[in-house]
Amino acid sequence: MIRQRAFFLIFILGTLAWLGWRNRSGPLVDTGLLSLLPSNEKDPSLAETHTLLTQRGGRLMAFAVTRGETAMNESAGQRLRQELQVSSWVKLYLTHASSDRGPSWHRLFFPHRYQLLSEKDRDSLARSKGVERLLGRMESALFQPSSSFFSSLITEDPLLFFPEYLRSAFTSLEGFSKTDKEDDEKTPFFLALEWNFDPFDSLCQERFYQWWSKVQKKITQEFPQVQLHTTGLLSFARAQRIQTEKDLFLASLGSFLGVLALLAWGFRSFRSIGFVFLPAGVGLLMGLAATWAVFGSVHVVTLTFGTTLIGCAVDYPIHFLSHRLLTPQTSATDTFRHLAPGLRMGLGTSVLGYLVLGLADFPGLRQIALFSSVGLVAAFVTVWVWFPRQTPGKAPAPPAGVLKCVEGSLRAISSLWHLINKNRRLLFWGAGILSVIGLGRCRFDDDLRRFQNPPASVQQEDAEVRRCGPFGGHRFILIRGKTQEETLQTQETLYQKLLRMKNLGDISSFQCLAPFLPSEARQNDNLQRVQDSLLPAAPLVRKKIQALGLSTSVADRLFNDLKSPPASLSPEQWLESPASEPFRSLWLGKVAGGFAGVALVGGLRDRSTLEEALKPIAGVHSFDQTEEYNRTLSRYRKAALGLLGVSVVLATLLLMAQYGARGATLALTPSLVGVLLTFSGFGWAGEPLHLFHVLAAVLVFAMGVDYAIFFLEASRVSELLKPALLSVSLSATTTLVSFGFLGLCRTPVVHTLGQTIFWGLLISYLLSPLPWILQRDRAVQ
Amino acid sequence: MLMKRVTPSLSVSSFFKNLWWLGVLTWAFPVWGKPSADTVDRETILQDLREVRFVEASFTETKTLHLLSSPLVSRGQIIFSPLQGIYRKTQDPLLVEMILNRREWIQRDADGEVTRLALRHLPAARVFVEILLSLFNGDDRHWKKHFDTRWTGQRGAWTIEFVAKKESPVAQGIKKIILEGGGPRLIQVTLLEKNGDQTVTHYSTTRLWGKNDTGPLPVFPDLSLTP
């Protein structure tokens, strides 16, 4: 045994060292929901683009200046922009041109003016008298009040292809900005940008908010009439983090003190209390190591759920120590030998339940299964290897209060059962009908937004900013191709589709790169059209130019440029230019399996219309981040629910092998009733169920079965009854205290886990003496 | 989540440099005033301007552009309303109609082809529409940002010179705007550009509607309809 302990200790230390070494190679906690997708359905290229979009979406932030006159909002906004410039946190401004933007547009696009035609000019050139129409436009421009603008252009672009291209490109984007429609005197200032830091980094969050409160103060002192607002994932993430930290701190403190008080009351020994937490610690360590070793990282969902394993793992030492306390005459080794069948059976049913969960092809569920199974086995092995040797000799006499309490509880259970037995039919049918109705009222809602509960102030800020400008609420369309050219051509097909949808009113706005980054094929076609139309009509063009009083050099330049045009505009040139800044985030560039871009659609009337329109375009995929998450959560929930059923069946078979059909039924009833009544309660309360309710049910089932098994064991060996009652009561009460505090938290996921486990386990615990009572009654009869 | 707003292709400074909005200023400068004042009283003129509800006039415009060998002459009608904006119809030598308001710029050519552009995409044009309309509301704050003004003559025959301030982005394109009026009517607007171009717009048969005038008012046509 000494050798076993030494080996186990070396193994634990080795694991610790390995974890430390692995942790140095980078963060091993995965937070992306996409990594939870089933591997066989995951399209690597799609997954990468989804990840890119998610990351970019997360780094966006928007600011608004409101309440002042238009000019004042603008001035305060420019002041804010200066402060942002100094901060050096901004990767990209998505709105508001930099001072260099205008000339940069000219520098980038003007040389390619014959390759970047508007739809209108393409049509004109394709029609008869197209050249005459273009000449008429030139003449009309000179007589316009805006002729001064054209006079600077007309020598280089007499047929005005360039201003027409710009007008057309920007007109396609109309409606995308809500502020297009505003014309009042208090137009707010709106600014959207992309940070160059991770919005989930708590240090960055705090630095930003310190800066923001200073800037707000400074600007409102300078412009007292204005109000400044901001929103973005950073605001929500920070609010959620602060709330979760606060909740978990209070819950941990409360549950720690409660558990400590209970254990102190039960064991009256610091050493014993230390022993209680040792197997749980080893279990967590081993679970973490196993998951890292197999999956390469641990998902945050696994970690959250895995930590609740402590509730399960502390049960083993509590059982051992309770039995030692109430059977002091028995040696530690014998105590463990008496306990082992029950502990093994409890471990077996729990591990079986978790392993079945891992059968699904969902990496998340597999992680939870591995983490929990390894953690529980490690906790059990810790008790098995260490406890009998660490607590040798005779145990101290049990405290009188504990004995008194145990005996009182036994009497209370007997009286209660006597009462229940007298009205068992009424109670059975009453509770049964109410439960069935409650279960019938249960509904599922996998909406991701249910996991968020941001403070009202953050929501108000968000609403205020969204009122001022286009931020969020749009649908992504992914455009993918094997080559850059293929992606750009697909983008052009999509553009035509979206333009038609906008004209039909199926969408209110869209943003697509096609006019700003045309494919090479399109550019060549445009140039060909211009050359085919103008070169043969050179005499007519020259005549008109001369008639208007323009120099002949204007016509010479036009035809020279047409005969020797520059190479097509490439994505690389476009990306390098400051002109691409407002749209750069729409080009994802090289991704796994090719290249990708994004289009954004706003004001979609009917999702199916868009899906239908996109169907014939290969390489285009509509993507709604929230819907995608909701679908994933729904699939997880369904899989977890189905596998919970399978694990119940397998646990029944395992228990039947040990205790027979009746014993198995008695062992399973308390936990199953616990789960069903809890879900029924949620049905009556009208609270929709989601993935975390189901995961909590798995835990209730695993722990509830353990409680019943100990009473079932006690019905076989009468000396085990009092220790069983003490150990089950202590472990249940400590677990209830912990999860009860979690249930009081406002953080939705923590609240759900806490609430479900609390009610489920409370019912399981109250019913857990049932196997002992029924077996006793049967023996009496 | 991934959102952005479109910004215009032309920055404010380059827009001013390119000057297309200047023509707008040259069509619509009628002044509603009270006759027989002996000296120019700025406040009185501004007060008079507040009374303007509608202006309708014929115009003859002569553009002397440095890139053309001979001046361009055009004729037409304009309607101005401080509330609705400006409607300008060039009839000779070619037909072009245009509406400019706080929200957008709409043009319909002889073929009935309509071009629209939101002023959101033309911030400088928006600023100038604001200036123009605010002038007719008797509020000269917008002008003061960009121009020094010189008011000379008498109320019956006055001249206002708007000289672009050096520090203003306007100065990159405009040198001076000269408004000449007689009594309540604006007679001529001369625009001098930095590159030497000059636009002289002469107004005649001006008809004004004050706030107390009743009767049929001029109507802005719907340019999106084919004439």
Side-chain angles (χ1 to χ4, degrees):
Chain A
M1 206 60 177
I2 294 170
R3 219 180 272 170
Q4 284 171 339
R5 274 191 292 159
F7 176 75
F8 194 56
L9 185 65
I10 291 167
F11 186 66
I12 291 169
L13 292 173
T15 309
L16 253 176
W18 181 77
L19 282 177
W21 173 77
R22 283 284 276 122
N23 197 36
R24 283 178 62 191
S25 59
L28 291 169
V29 178
D30 186 358
T31 52
L33 207 63
L34 284 162
S35 54
L36 298 179
L37 280 175
S39 54
N40 59 344
E41 290 179 30
K42 209 183 333 178
D43 174 341
S45 149
L46 196 61
E48 189 185 332
T49 44
H50 281 195
T51 310
L52 271 171
L53 288 180
T54 311
Q55 278 173 355
R56 280 197 174 163
R59 286 174 185 234
L60 298 185
M61 195 89 183
F63 297 87
V65 183
T66 60
R67 303 292 159 111
E69 301 280 315
T70 304
M72 186 175 280
N73 289 340
E74 182 69 28
S75 306
Q78 291 306 333
R79 190 80 188 77
L80 170 66
R81 213 187 124 97
Q82 282 168 11
E83 294 287 343
L84 281 164
Q85 207 77 41
V86 176
S87 76
S88 71
W89 292 336
V90 182
K91 183 183 174 191
L92 208 66
Y93 288 101
L94 303 172
T95 54
H96 285 79
S98 65
S99 56
D100 188 39
R101 183 88 46 89
S104 71
W105 273 84
H106 189 270
R107 270 199 304 275
L108 179 71
F109 293 117
F110 191 76
H112 302 277
R113 58 195 175 281
Y114 304 120
Q115 287 137 312
L116 302 167
L117 296 184
S118 71
E119 283 298 324
K120 197 169 115 185
D121 280 357
R122 275 172 65 86
D123 286 350
S124 288
L125 291 168
R127 276 191 271 159
S128 64
K129 302 236 174 200
V131 177
E132 285 82 350
R133 286 171 73 88
L134 293 172
L135 292 170
R137 177 168 76 188
M138 172 177 67
E139 185 180 13
S140 159
L142 286 170
F143 282 101
Q144 275 178 28
S146 49
S147 61
S148 299
F149 166 61
F150 296 120
S151 71
S152 58
L153 260 180
I154 225 153
T155 50
E156 293 174 306
D157 183 20
L159 299 177
L160 302 170
F161 287 113
F162 183 63
E164 168 53 25
Y165 156 71
L166 286 185
R167 189 202 58 77
S168 140
F170 283 110
T171 307
S172 76
L173 298 162
E174 262 176 22
F176 200 81
S177 158
K178 290 174 201 163
T179 42
D180 273 348
K181 292 175 187 127
E182 289 179 16
D183 59 352
D184 58 27
E185 290 174 353
K186 291 196 169 183
T187 305
F189 172 89
F190 177 81
L191 175 70
L193 50 81
E194 188 181 329
W195 293 129
N196 56 17
F197 58 80
D198 181 6
F200 287 105
D201 184 330
S202 57
L203 207 66
C204 293
Q205 288 173 1
E206 290 315 309
R207 259 191 227 151
F208 167 74
Y209 268 91
Q210 279 169 12
W211 173 88
W212 176 236
S213 71
K214 270 186 208 161
V215 167
Q216 261 182 318
K217 208 173 158 188
K218 204 193 267 185
I219 294 178
T220 45
Q221 269 172 3
E222 206 174 320
F223 305 93
Q225 286 171 352
V226 305
Q227 274 185 13
L228 282 92
H229 309 275
T230 185
T231 193
L233 185 65
L234 187 146
S235 311
F236 283 88
R238 179 176 175 265
Q240 197 70 60
R241 178 180 59 79
I242 290 172
Q243 188 178 305
T244 310
E245 278 174 4
K246 197 176 150 194
D247 278 357
L248 285 179
F249 173 74
L250 291 174
S252 309
L253 187 70
S255 65
F256 177 73
L257 292 175
V259 169
L260 209 63
L262 277 166
L263 294 176
W265 172 79
F267 300 125
R268 313 275 165 99
S269 148
F270 284 116
R271 192 163 179 249
S272 298
I273 293 168
F275 271 164
V276 169
F277 291 106
L278 181 69
V282 174
L284 281 179
L285 184 76
M286 292 301 174
L288 196 65
T291 315
W292 267 350
V294 174
F295 293 96
S297 66
V298 182
H299 198 274
V300 74
V301 172
T302 312
L303 213 54
T304 311
F305 187 75
T307 48
T308 60
L309 191 73
I310 299 172
C312 227
V314 292
D315 288 358
Y316 304 136
I318 286 178
H319 284 303
F320 178 83
L321 293 169
S322 301
H323 281 74
R324 282 288 285 148
L325 196 69
L326 294 183
T327 54
Q329 67 285 0
T330 315
S331 73
T333 317
D334 286 343
T335 302
F336 188 79
R337 203 178 319 130
H338 289 147
L339 263 178
L343 286 178
R344 273 201 302 265
M345 191 49 67
L347 175 73
T349 51
S350 303
V351 169
L352 194 69
Y354 285 121
L355 286 180
V356 168
L357 209 60
L359 287 177
D361 190 22
F362 285 94
L365 290 185
R366 284 184 167 178
Q367 278 197 15
I368 290 174
L370 182 72
F371 188 102
S372 306
S373 307
V374 170
L376 282 180
V377 171
F380 176 80
V381 172
T382 311
V383 174
W384 172 44
V385 171
W386 251 306
F387 280 44
R389 297 291 160 188
Q390 288 302 314
T391 55
K394 252 183 133 184
V402 175
L403 272 179
K404 227 170 151 181
C405 189
V406 170
E407 278 158 7
S409 301
L410 270 179
R411 276 197 300 276
I413 291 169
S414 294
S415 320
L416 185 70
W417 178 246
H418 184 67
L419 197 70
I420 291 170
N421 207 19
K422 270 189 4 195
N423 307 294
R424 62 179 183 273
R425 283 197 181 145
L426 180 74
L427 281 169
F428 177 78
W429 285 108
I433 290 168
L434 283 175
S435 306
V436 169
I437 296 173
L439 286 172
R441 289 165 63 100
C442 278
R443 59 185 183 87
F444 293 100
D445 180 2
D446 302 297
D447 195 334
L448 183 71
R449 282 161 285 206
R450 291 192 59 215
F451 300 137
Q452 296 165 342
N453 181 22
S457 58
V458 176
Q459 290 186 53
Q460 271 166 14
E461 279 281 285
D462 185 63
E464 193 70 38
V465 176
R466 281 169 197 264
R467 198 182 60 75
C468 302
F471 195 68
H474 292 77
R475 182 179 283 266
F476 291 107
I477 299 175
L478 284 177
I479 308 138
R480 293 181 297 152
K482 282 181 191 141
T483 59
Q484 246 177 192
E485 179 64 11
E486 190 186 312
T487 311
L488 295 175
Q489 285 183 24
T490 309
Q491 191 166 260
E492 280 155 5
T493 315
L494 174 70
Y495 175 78
Q496 296 299 336
K497 265 286 194 257
L498 294 176
L499 203 59
R500 261 200 297 281
M501 285 184 77
K502 190 181 167 191
N503 291 338
L504 289 170
D506 291 331
I507 55 175
S508 65
S509 60
F510 71 96
Q511 231 186 38
C512 180
L513 270 186
F516 305 100
L517 188 56
S519 67
E520 199 176 348
R522 168 87 174 196
Q523 292 185 55
N524 291 341
D525 183 55
N526 284 341
L527 182 66
Q528 196 65 49
R529 284 187 191 211
V530 181
Q531 286 171 334
D532 289 352
S533 302
L534 291 184
L535 293 177
L540 176 70
V541 176
R542 285 183 183 280
K543 196 177 159 192
K544 187 70 181 178
I545 285 176
Q546 275 175 358
L548 282 169
L550 284 161
S551 156
T552 50
S553 65
V554 173
D556 292 341
R557 176 158 186 189
L558 168 70
F559 292 111
N560 283 341
D561 286 350
L562 273 178
K563 281 173 192 160
S564 50
S568 303
L569 174 71
S570 69
E572 290 74 25
Q573 269 176 287
W574 180 79
L575 282 168
E576 275 168 22
S577 163
S580 64
E581 218 176 68
F583 307 106
R584 223 174 268 165
S585 58
L586 294 180
W587 181 244
L588 301 179
K590 195 154 175 52
V591 294
F595 291 82
V598 189
L600 299 172
V601 169
L604 178 64
R605 245 205 280 165
D606 179 12
R607 210 175 78 189
S608 60
T609 321
L610 181 69
E611 303 290 343
E612 205 56 42
L614 299 187
K615 217 180 266 174
I617 315 173
V620 166
H621 169 81
S622 166
F623 170 77
D624 184 305
Q625 207 164 305
T626 312
E627 268 175 31
E628 202 80 13
Y629 284 159
N630 292 348
R631 259 202 296 272
T632 307
L633 287 169
S634 167
R635 289 161 71 195
Y636 262 76
R637 194 251 308 151
K638 282 176 192 160
L641 205 57
L643 291 170
L644 174 64
V646 175
S647 67
V648 170
V649 172
L650 290 177
T652 310
L653 293 175
L654 190 71
L655 288 165
M656 273 171 74
Q658 178 78 11
Y659 303 114
R662 182 182 158 83
T665 313
L666 290 174
L668 286 167
T669 303
S671 54
L672 285 180
V673 172
V675 170
L676 292 176
L677 281 183
T678 307
F679 278 11
S680 167
F682 286 131
W684 278 107
E687 186 182 321
L689 305 178
H690 55 70
L691 174 68
F692 285 92
H693 287 103
V694 181
L695 290 179
V698 174
L699 208 69
V700 170
F701 176 69
M703 286 198 272
V705 170
D706 286 4
Y707 300 162
I709 284 172
F710 280 96
F711 279 104
L712 198 63
E713 286 285 327
S715 68
R716 288 170 151 193
V717 186
S718 59
E719 297 81 53
L720 292 179
L721 178 62
K722 284 182 187 173
L725 185 62
L726 178 65
S727 63
V728 169
S729 298
L730 268 180
S731 63
T733 321
T734 50
T735 311
L736 288 173
V737 166
S738 303
F739 285 103
F741 274 107
L742 289 183
L744 293 175
C745 291
R746 282 175 305 164
T747 309
V749 170
V750 180
H751 173 79
T752 302
L753 278 174
Q755 212 185 28
T756 314
I757 294 172
F758 178 84
W759 290 111
L761 269 187
L762 182 66
I763 297 164
S764 305
Y765 165 60
L766 292 175
L767 294 176
S768 61
L770 201 66
W772 167 70
I773 292 165
L774 291 177
Q775 292 291 69
R776 184 198 62 180
D777 287 358
R778 198 184 188 203
V780 170
Q781 279 167 14
Chain B
M1 293 281 265
L2 189 68
M3 294 311 95
K4 64 181 57 83
R5 190 178 56 172
V6 179
T7 48
S9 60
L10 299 166
S11 67
V12 174
S13 58
S14 69
F15 188 85
F16 280 119
K17 201 174 174 180
N18 289 317
L19 296 175
W20 76 259
W21 47 270
L22 288 177
V24 172
L25 303 176
T26 63
W27 341 307
F29 262 85
V31 176
W32 181 261
K34 288 174 188 165
S36 63
D38 293 333
T39 55
V40 174
D41 180 349
R42 291 169 60 156
E43 289 310 314
T44 311
I45 290 177
L46 287 175
Q47 180 58 40
D48 291 344
L49 288 171
R50 288 193 199 106
E51 296 299 314
V52 174
R53 192 173 167 203
F54 262 103
V55 181
E56 192 176 45
S58 301
F59 72 87
T60 302
E61 190 168 83
T62 308
K63 281 176 181 284
T64 311
L65 305 179
H66 69 281
L67 55 93
L68 298 182
S69 55
S70 53
L72 295 172
V73 181
S74 59
R75 289 176 191 85
Q77 295 279 318
I78 72 149
I79 303 171
F80 171 79
S81 154
L83 288 176
Q84 293 182 47
I86 300 148
Y87 165 70
R88 170 173 155 136
K89 185 177 185 181
T90 307
Q91 290 158 312
D92 178 48
L94 70 171
L95 181 70
V96 184
E97 290 172 278
M98 190 186 290
I99 287 178
L100 186 67
N101 56 36
R102 282 180 199 267
R103 208 151 52 95
E104 60 183 344
W105 171 72
I106 314 163
Q107 184 187 299
R108 181 166 68 186
D109 65 19
D111 296 332
E113 199 165 289
V114 178
T115 310
R116 306 178 87 108
L117 198 58
L119 280 206
R120 189 83 206 162
H121 300 165
L122 301 165
R126 188 175 174 150
V127 165
F128 269 83
V129 171
E130 296 289 346
I131 289 170
L132 190 64
L133 300 184
S134 67
L135 182 80
F136 278 86
N137 287 320
D139 174 9
D140 62 352
R141 279 178 303 172
H142 285 98
W143 288 106
K144 283 181 177 169
K145 253 199 244 173
H146 301 288
F147 296 97
D148 289 321
T149 51
R150 252 177 256 156
W151 304 59
T152 53
Q154 294 181 329
R155 197 172 176 194
W158 47 260
T159 302
I160 312 171
E161 276 186 40
F162 291 83
V163 182
K165 287 183 176 174
K166 275 183 189 166
E167 64 276 15
S168 165
V170 173
Q172 290 181 29
I174 299 179
K175 215 166 147 187
K176 198 187 278 184
I177 300 168
I178 305 163
L179 309 183
E180 292 166 77
R185 283 168 173 74
L186 180 72
I187 296 165
Q188 188 164 291
V189 176
T190 306
L191 168 74
L192 296 168
E193 295 175 32
K194 206 176 166 188
N195 62 4
D197 288 355
Q198 180 178 300
T199 305
V200 180
T201 312
H202 187 83
Y203 296 98
S204 57
T205 56
T206 306
R207 194 174 163 201
L208 307 173
W209 282 261
K211 284 190 176 162
N212 297 323
D213 286 332
T214 52
L217 296 168
V219 178
F220 275 43
D222 184 353
L223 294 190
S224 57
L225 301 173
T226 309

